[in-house]
């Protein structure tokens, strides 16, 4: 536990007392200024990363701003696609192509190569409920970017600096703040359609935005928007890259897209196909040699799984947003907003598109809660067993249906509050309630072990001709499961900001506030798992909640003309683990109008997620060498692997450093370079199962009365450390001409200098930058755009660059491939607005039809590229129209 609650309270109390004590002075100062007729001050803004208003756009921390104009020109159709394309998103985050885990169909963002639990996502400066299904084996909780509509967005601000001193937990790698349109009047209608050059993945989108009332003249404003988005599913057989499933002509490639376990016996380690009297495999299977697929001798009835493997899920999204502001007095406003999304996504479960009975399968014992082996044996009495004895069987049951996963998500946030001015001081109070409710429905591909055993024992399931099996038998075996999850967030906050007093170099700015929120996360197993029916159950149960109280303060001190010191501190109290204090110090020096230097140092934290420190359980299966086995020491055993929450976890501790320079010789030119370094200690993870078995602690290793290994308990622990650093380069240049229009060149590049962590607990630091020892982490990622505005035409091209990386995933892949190639994608857009209010546009994504680079480690599901970095949509066309009344 970080024992700093008293320090946090003291710092915040001192700063808060100073602010309230200065209110009377501020009232008097404002009155005197009004009486003397002083001119109004310059307009001020609040930039993500601080609560202090300022006149300068560039603050002491780097913030990338993606404006509405840039969003409209982009070929990216969703908030998730836009954010995942920025250079700071170097990897290690969930996207929709990852359809084998709990969070299939969702999308997150992980800045700086850190997982998405280390990036805080806000809407208009406030938190949203996390997605109900964590990813990464239950460790990563995150906001689902697919639940956020693009249509009402004014801009997206990406703070590329630690910000726990302002926002608290999760703001480790940075903050993404999605800001909606303010005081909008008018009506906008729009629609678009898209299709891939290679076919599939058709999309349709429609939207409407309406704004009524002017806050300044009418005293009120209401913004309402609605967006509908539909996209078809893309499977591997729809792309030339993956269609055959055979990669024997590539380094390290085999028949990776095929399964040898269609229908066969295993006799003395060799594969023997299960054939009918005419020498045929069951329908849908191909008689072929087993060796190209899995190296076994003999032939097999194999299956090409490519047609049953999803690359990008289908989705339907309906999203609405409502925002209202009303003036209640001269210095008082009421405000409120509602965001609502309803999403349905569908994909074939990546790792197991059909149910296959094979060795190593398990089911849960309903009485003990432990997994027990399910024998992959065809009984001697089965009419399709030619051996007259029990034999090992591997068989895929097509008739039980595809493992089609349908994820339904319903998310909302309702917020209301008041804000106003007390003399020169701005104040604001609000309360909100947010929720993300999920259900995962699997229509087929699961089997009831008891009825399956009965059908194999009496031969009522026709293994040679499954279509001849009575429907009643199939119905008794097939399972349809439903997995629910519910994530909730309730909160309230109050804050003030203004100026404390004047110094010779300027006014001392100040902001302070208090926050409260209640978080809860509940995820349940399908009842068929708990009842012990389902073979190969996927178990991920979470049940946790907590309260969080926080107080924070910031002060901005002008030391001399052009030099500012900004100090911030925040104290958080969590009802589960205790207290944390996060300080930050920043310097902003502008010796010339065209030159700015900035630097920041901060300390922060990431609170253990509710899936890490609550009553959570994740069950997986695998084998491990057991040196204490009573029958054969050092033999391989197959226990149940439990990963459970640990209520004793401490928060991860973070130290963050930034330094940069901005050169802006004119309004048309801006160049910046920023260096960052993030050091994380106390990282939460799980221990190595081999080490746990070798230690043989009875609290973690469960054995029967003879000493036979039954289960391994692996608890989340504070284990290790991580250090990453890099450089951000940003350029913007505008050329304005009288005869040829205006040209805008902009570019952002991130270069990762280091990304180091131990491979084993207590081991030496190993660099993961520029390789795929873990998730692939290219050293360089860049986005460059050139736009041309001429009369009614607007056109542009965007270049997305992702560098290659060294092949270090495993020794087998490294032996045949030294480096994975880089990736270059060019997008094109053109728009015409020749009629008043009407804009017609077309966009081409991936103009040169660049395919993902080949990775011999096959990190994708039966596909030779990294799903976290790339997708296979290929060249993609969009056409659309917008009308503004």
């Amino acid at each position: 536990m970080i024992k700093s609650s008293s320090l946090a309270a003291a710092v915040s109390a001192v700063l808060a007392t100073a602010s309230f004590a200065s209110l009377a002075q501020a009232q008097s100062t404002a009155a005197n200024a009004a009486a003397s007729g002083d001119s109004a001050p310059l307009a001020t803004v609040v930039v993500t990363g601080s609560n202090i208003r300022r006149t300068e756009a560039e603050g002491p921390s780097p913030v990338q701003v993606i404006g509405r104009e840039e969003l409209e020109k982009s070929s990216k159709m969703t908030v998730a696609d836009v954010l995942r394309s920025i250079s700071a998103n170097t990897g290690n985050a969930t996207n929709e192509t990852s359809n084998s885990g709990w969070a299939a169909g969702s999308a997150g963002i992980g800045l700086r190569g850190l997982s998405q639990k280390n990036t805080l996502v806000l809407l208009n400066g406030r938190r949203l409920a996390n997605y109900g299904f964590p990813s990464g084996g239950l460790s990563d909780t995150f906001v689902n970017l697919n639940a956020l509509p693009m249509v009402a967005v004014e801009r997206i601000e990406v703070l590329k600096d630690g910000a726990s001193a302002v926002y608290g937990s999760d703001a480790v790698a940075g903050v993404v703040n999605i800001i909606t349109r303010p005081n909008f009047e008018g009506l906008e209608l729009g629609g678009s359609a898209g299709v891939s050059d290679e076919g599939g993945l058709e999309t349709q989108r429609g939207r409407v935005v309406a704004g009524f009332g002017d806050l300044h003249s009418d005293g009120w404003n209401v913004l309402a928007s609605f967006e509908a988005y539909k996209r078809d599913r893309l499977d591997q057989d729809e792309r030339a890259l993956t269609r055959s499933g055979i990669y024997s002509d590539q380094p390290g490639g085999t028949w990776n897209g095929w399964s040898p376990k269609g229908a066969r016996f295993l006799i003395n380690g060799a594969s023997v196909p299960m054939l009918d009297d005419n020498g045929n495999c069951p329908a849908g299977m191909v008689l072929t040699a087993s060796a190209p697929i899995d190296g076994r001798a003999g032939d097999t009835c194999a299956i090409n799984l490519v047609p049953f493997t999803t690359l990008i899920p289908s989705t339907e999204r309906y999203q609405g947003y409502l925002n209202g502001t009303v003036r209640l007095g001269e210095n008082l406003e009421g405000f409120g907003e509602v965001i609502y999304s309803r999403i349905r996504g569908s994909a074939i479960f990546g790792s197991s598109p059909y149910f296959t009975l094979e060795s190593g399968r398990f089911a849960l014992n309903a009485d003990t809660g432990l997994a027990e082996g399910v024998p992959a044996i065809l009984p001697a009495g089965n009419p399709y067993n030619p051996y007259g004895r029990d034999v090992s069987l591997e068989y895929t049951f097509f008739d039980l249906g595809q493992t089609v996963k349908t994820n339904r998500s319903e998310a909302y946030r309702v917020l209301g509050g008041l804000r106003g001015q007390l003399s020169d001081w701005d104040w604001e109070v609000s309360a909100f309630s947010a929720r993300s409710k999920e259900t995962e429905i699997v229509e087929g591909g699961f089997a009831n072990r008891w009825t399956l055993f009965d059908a194999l024992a009496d031969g009522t399931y026709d293994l040679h001709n499954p279509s001849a099996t009575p429907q009643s038998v199939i119905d008794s075996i097939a399972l349809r499961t439903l997995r629910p999850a519910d994530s909730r967030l309730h909160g309230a906050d109050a804050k003030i900001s203004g100026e404390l007093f004047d110094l010779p170099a300027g006014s001392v700015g100040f902001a302070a506030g208090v926050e409260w929120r209640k978080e809860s996360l509940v995820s349940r197993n399908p009842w068929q798992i708990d009842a012990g029916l389902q073979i190969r159950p996927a178990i991920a149960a979470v049940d946790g909640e907590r309260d969080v109280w926080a107080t924070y303060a910031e002060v901005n001190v002008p030391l001399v003309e052009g030099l500012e010191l900004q100090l911030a501190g925040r104290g958080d109290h969590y009802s589960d683990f205790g207290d944390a204090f996060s300080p930050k110090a920043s310097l902003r020096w502008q010796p010339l109008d065209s030159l700015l230097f900035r630097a920041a140092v901060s300390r922060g934290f990431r609170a253990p997620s509710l899936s890490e420190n609550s009553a959570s359980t994740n069950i997986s299966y695998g084998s491990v060498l057991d040196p204490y086995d009573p029958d054969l020491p050092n033999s391989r055993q197959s226990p149940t692997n439990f990963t459970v929450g640990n209520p004793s976890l401490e928060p991860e501790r973070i130290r963050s450093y930034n330094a940069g320079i901005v050169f802006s010789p004119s309004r048309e030119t801006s160049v910046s370079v920023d260096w960052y370094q993030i050091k994380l200690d106390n990282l939460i993870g799980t221990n190595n199962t081999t080490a746990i078995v070798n230690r043989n602690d009875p609290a973690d290793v469960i054995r029967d009365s003879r000493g036979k290994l039954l289960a391994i308990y692996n608890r989340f622990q504070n284990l290790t450390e991580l250090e990453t650093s890099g450089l951000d380069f940003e350029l913007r240049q505008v050329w304005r001409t009288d005869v040829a229009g205006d040209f805008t060149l902009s570019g952002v590049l991130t270069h990762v200098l280091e990304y180091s962590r131990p491979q084993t607990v207590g081991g030496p630091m190993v660099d993961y930058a520029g390789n795929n020892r873990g998730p692939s982490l290219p050293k360089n990622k860049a986005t460059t755009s050139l736009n041309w505005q001429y009369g009614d035409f607007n056109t542009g091209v965007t270049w997305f660059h992702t560098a290659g990386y060294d092949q270090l995933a495993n020794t087998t892949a490294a032996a045949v491939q030294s480096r994975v190639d880089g990736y270059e994608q060019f997008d094109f857009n053109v728009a015409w607005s020749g009629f008043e209010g009407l804009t017609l546009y077309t966009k081409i994504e991936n103009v040169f039809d660049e395919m993902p680079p080949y990775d011999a480690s096959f990190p994708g599901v039966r596909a030779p590229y990294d799903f976290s970095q790339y997708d296979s949509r290929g060249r993609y066309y969009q056409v659309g129209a917008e009308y503004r009344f």
Side-chain angles (χ1 to χ4, degrees):
M1 181 182 298
I2 301 178
K3 298 179 179 179
S4 54
S5 58
S6 58
L7 176 60
V11 171
S12 299
V14 169
L15 293 174
T17 301
S19 67
F20 287 111
S22 64
L23 282 176
Q25 177 184 346
Q27 291 173 354
S28 175
T29 302
N32 294 336
S36 65
D38 289 350
S39 60
L42 293 173
T44 58
V45 294
V46 175
V47 178
T48 300
S50 175
N51 288 299
I52 297 177
R53 290 185 169 273
R54 58 187 312 121
T55 57
E56 303 91 353
E58 291 285 356
S61 295
V63 178
Q64 181 180 350
V65 180
I66 307 170
R68 184 157 56 90
E69 183 178 351
E70 186 176 350
L71 293 173
E72 291 175 347
K73 293 176 182 177
S74 172
S75 60
K76 310 302 182 185
M77 289 187 284
T78 67
V79 171
D81 288 342
V82 169
L83 288 172
R84 293 187 59 78
S85 67
I86 67 175
S87 64
N89 183 50
T90 49
N92 197 17
T94 295
N95 65 34
E96 292 179 85
T97 59
S98 305
N99 57 57
S100 292
W102 314 117
S106 61
I109 180 171
L111 301 175
R112 306 304 192 198
L114 303 174
S115 67
Q116 56 253 27
K117 64 186 176 185
N118 291 296
T119 298
L120 180 62
V121 177
L122 306 173
L123 176 67
N124 292 324
R126 290 182 172 88
R127 291 178 180 252
L128 298 140
N130 284 325
Y131 191 63
F133 293 128
S135 67
L138 290 187
S139 66
D140 286 9
T141 51
F142 63 98
V143 171
N144 181 16
L145 299 177
N146 288 335
L148 304 177
M150 177 88 85
V151 60
V153 174
E154 174 68 17
R155 66 186 183 276
I156 300 174
E157 295 182 350
V158 182
L159 172 67
K160 294 182 281 189
D161 187 13
S164 290
V166 177
Y167 301 109
S169 179
D170 307 334
V172 175
V175 179
V176 173
N177 190 11
I178 298 165
I179 301 170
T180 56
R181 299 191 193 185
N183 200 30
F184 172 73
E185 283 189 281
L187 177 64
E188 296 182 3
L189 302 174
S192 65
V195 65
S196 171
D197 185 48
E198 202 171 342
L201 211 66
E202 295 184 4
T203 59
Q204 300 87 39
R205 183 174 66 158
R207 67 184 188 91
V208 58
V209 186
F212 308 95
D214 181 87
L215 184 60
H216 304 295
S217 59
D218 301 324
W220 61 276
N221 176 259
V222 174
L223 167 71
S225 71
F226 176 79
E227 184 173 8
Y229 175 77
K230 182 179 183 297
R231 183 188 64 217
D232 292 344
R233 195 177 79 197
L234 180 70
D235 294 335
Q236 287 195 4
D237 62 340
E238 298 178 85
R239 288 294 176 265
L241 175 67
T242 52
R243 185 170 294 127
S244 71
I246 300 174
Y247 304 93
S248 303
D249 59 336
Q250 297 288 339
T254 62
W255 289 35
N256 301 76
W258 287 67
S259 169
K261 302 172 183 179
R264 70 178 180 180
F265 303 106
L266 297 180
I267 307 298
N268 297 324
S271 175
V272 179
M274 178 182 285
L275 307 175
D276 63 17
D277 293 338
N278 297 318
N280 297 320
C281 291
M285 305 179 192
V286 177
L287 180 62
T288 186
S290 182
I293 308 175
D294 65 352
R296 283 188 185 271
D299 293 337
T300 188
C301 293
I303 308 170
N304 183 359
L305 294 177
V306 163
F308 319 120
T309 304
T310 296
L311 288 172
I312 301 177
S314 65
T315 188
E316 291 183 31
R317 302 174 192 163
Y318 302 96
Q319 299 165 321
Y321 178 73
L322 180 66
N323 185 313
T325 306
V326 59
R327 183 178 298 139
L328 302 174
E330 184 177 354
N331 292 309
L332 180 63
E333 290 178 357
F335 62 93
E337 66 175 13
V338 178
I339 182 174
Y340 175 83
S341 72
R342 190 178 185 89
I343 304 174
R344 179 185 181 275
S346 182
I348 305 172
F349 187 53
S351 61
S352 182
Y354 288 95
F355 171 71
T356 298
L357 182 63
E358 58 183 308
S359 62
R361 295 299 198 194
F362 296 85
L364 205 64
N365 185 304
D367 296 325
T368 66
L370 298 178
E372 56 189 15
V374 174
I377 297 296
L378 189 62
N382 186 286
Y384 306 102
N385 183 345
Y387 296 96
R389 57 181 174 84
D390 293 353
V391 292
S392 296
L393 174 73
E394 291 184 339
Y395 192 94
T396 298
F397 293 79
F398 281 143
D399 287 59
L400 300 185
Q402 285 185 357
T403 314
V404 177
K405 292 178 57 174
T406 300
N407 283 66
R408 299 180 185 272
S409 177
E410 189 174 4
Y412 67 80
R413 190 184 76 179
V414 180
L415 180 146
L418 296 170
R419 59 178 167 238
Q421 281 188 313
L422 184 60
S423 186
D424 290 336
W425 287 82
D426 298 319
W427 62 269
E428 183 172 307
V429 296
S430 73
F432 65 89
S433 178
R435 185 181 188 185
S436 184
K437 182 181 179 182
E438 278 70 50
T439 57
E440 176 199 86
I441 299 171
V442 181
E443 300 291 345
F446 290 151
N448 182 321
R449 59 167 164 165
W450 306 120
T451 53
L452 176 62
F453 289 166
D454 291 342
L456 293 179
D458 60 23
T460 52
Y461 190 97
D462 192 327
L463 296 174
H464 285 166
N465 183 17
S467 62
T469 302
Q471 189 63 42
S472 59
V473 175
I474 294 174
D475 291 342
S476 70
I477 300 172
L479 294 179
R480 178 183 185 272
T481 63
L482 184 149
R483 181 190 305 275
D486 194 355
S487 174
R488 302 192 186 204
L489 177 67
H490 309 290
D493 58 72
K495 58 186 177 183
I496 60 168
S497 64
E499 296 176 353
L500 288 173
F501 48 82
D502 291 333
L503 292 176
S507 299
V508 176
F510 181 80
V514 294
E515 295 178 2
W516 167 83
R517 68 180 185 271
K518 186 179 188 67
E519 307 170 349
S520 66
L521 176 61
V522 178
S523 176
R524 305 293 189 200
N525 294 322
W527 69 266
Q528 295 93 334
I529 291 179
D530 294 331
L533 301 182
Q534 183 180 322
I535 301 175
R536 195 178 182 267
I539 297 175
V542 183
D543 191 349
E545 67 174 24
R546 64 184 170 202
D547 289 276
V548 184
W549 291 89
T551 178
Y552 61 87
E554 299 175 64
V555 61
N556 189 73
V557 182
L559 301 176
V560 295
E561 185 176 356
L563 178 62
E564 299 175 1
L565 170 66
Q566 186 165 316
L567 301 174
R570 178 182 172 112
D572 286 84
H573 173 74
Y574 281 72
S575 60
D576 49 6
F577 74 80
D579 304 317
F581 177 63
S582 305
K584 184 172 183 176
S586 307
L587 279 174
R588 182 187 187 277
W589 180 38
Q590 191 166 3
L592 304 171
D593 290 342
S594 60
L595 188 62
L596 168 68
F597 296 92
R598 58 192 177 196
V601 56
S602 64
R603 195 178 74 194
F605 74 103
R606 186 189 72 82
S609 66
L610 288 174
S611 52
E612 291 172 330
N613 74 347
S614 67
S616 65
T617 303
N618 179 30
I619 293 184
S620 60
Y621 313 102
S623 61
V624 64
L625 293 176
D626 181 11
Y628 306 105
D629 185 77
D631 300 320
L632 186 62
N634 291 310
S635 61
R636 189 164 290 277
Q637 302 298 312
S638 299
T640 306
N641 294 300
F642 289 83
T643 302
V644 297
N646 182 358
S648 299
L649 285 175
E650 294 184 2
E652 298 178 348
R653 300 183 179 93
I654 295 95
R655 288 169 291 162
S656 182
Y657 308 90
N658 272 273
I661 181 173
V662 182
F663 179 59
S664 301
S666 69
R667 296 185 61 181
E668 285 75 28
T669 304
S670 177
V671 181
S672 66
V673 181
D674 288 278
W675 167 83
Y676 70 89
Q677 183 181 62
I678 304 172
K679 296 182 178 182
L680 298 91
D681 293 313
N682 242 19
L683 256 66
I684 296 172
T686 54
N687 217 327
N688 182 277
T689 55
T690 300
I692 295 175
V693 172
N694 290 340
R695 193 167 58 243
N696 205 29
D697 186 337
D700 301 324
V701 179
I702 309 302
R703 300 180 181 275
D704 64 14
S705 58
R706 296 182 54 248
K708 203 73 174 176
L709 182 61
L710 298 177
I712 300 171
Y713 277 86
N714 205 340
R715 294 168 178 82
F716 286 110
Q717 300 175 60
N718 296 105
L719 292 176
T720 185
E721 58 185 318
L722 186 151
E723 183 174 323
T724 182
S725 62
L727 296 169
D728 288 324
F729 302 86
E730 192 163 350
L731 163 71
R732 181 176 175 82
Q733 175 66 56
V734 179
W735 296 277
R736 305 185 190 279
T737 70
D738 295 330
V739 295
D742 298 337
F743 298 85
T744 302
L745 174 67
S746 60
V748 184
L749 180 145
T750 296
H751 174 71
V752 182
L753 294 169
E754 177 189 18
Y755 190 98
S756 298
R757 60 182 175 87
Q759 290 183 302
T760 58
V761 177
M765 298 287 278
V766 176
D767 194 2
Y768 285 70
N771 61 68
N772 60 350
R773 281 192 174 99
S776 64
L777 191 65
K779 280 195 172 184
N780 295 311
K781 191 172 182 180
T783 302
T784 307
S785 297
L786 177 62
N787 288 283
W788 177 35
Q789 175 77 52
Y790 181 74
D792 296 328
F793 286 92
N794 193 312
T795 186
V797 61
T798 302
W799 170 30
F800 298 98
H801 165 74
T802 303
Y805 51 88
D806 293 337
Q807 177 60 268
L808 298 175
N810 53 63
T811 55
T812 301
V816 296
Q817 182 184 37
S818 61
R819 187 168 175 83
V820 177
D821 291 338
Y823 179 80
E824 318 295 339
Q825 178 176 315
F826 292 85
D827 293 358
F828 172 79
N829 68 84
V830 60
W832 177 74
S833 52
F835 293 113
E836 184 177 357
L838 177 65
T839 300
L840 304 175
Y841 62 84
T842 184
K843 302 175 181 179
I844 305 176
E845 190 173 358
N846 197 358
V847 173
F848 299 110
D849 200 21
E850 181 85 356
M851 284 292 101
Y854 179 84
D855 187 330
S857 69
F858 278 74
V861 178
R862 290 182 288 277
Y865 64 90
D866 189 339
F867 281 12
S868 70
Q869 294 283 355
Y870 316 104
D871 62 52
S872 291
R873 70 186 67 199
R875 185 185 295 116
Y876 199 85
Y877 303 98
Q878 295 179 53
V879 293
E882 295 179 355
Y883 192 81
R884 294 175 170 88
F885 293 88

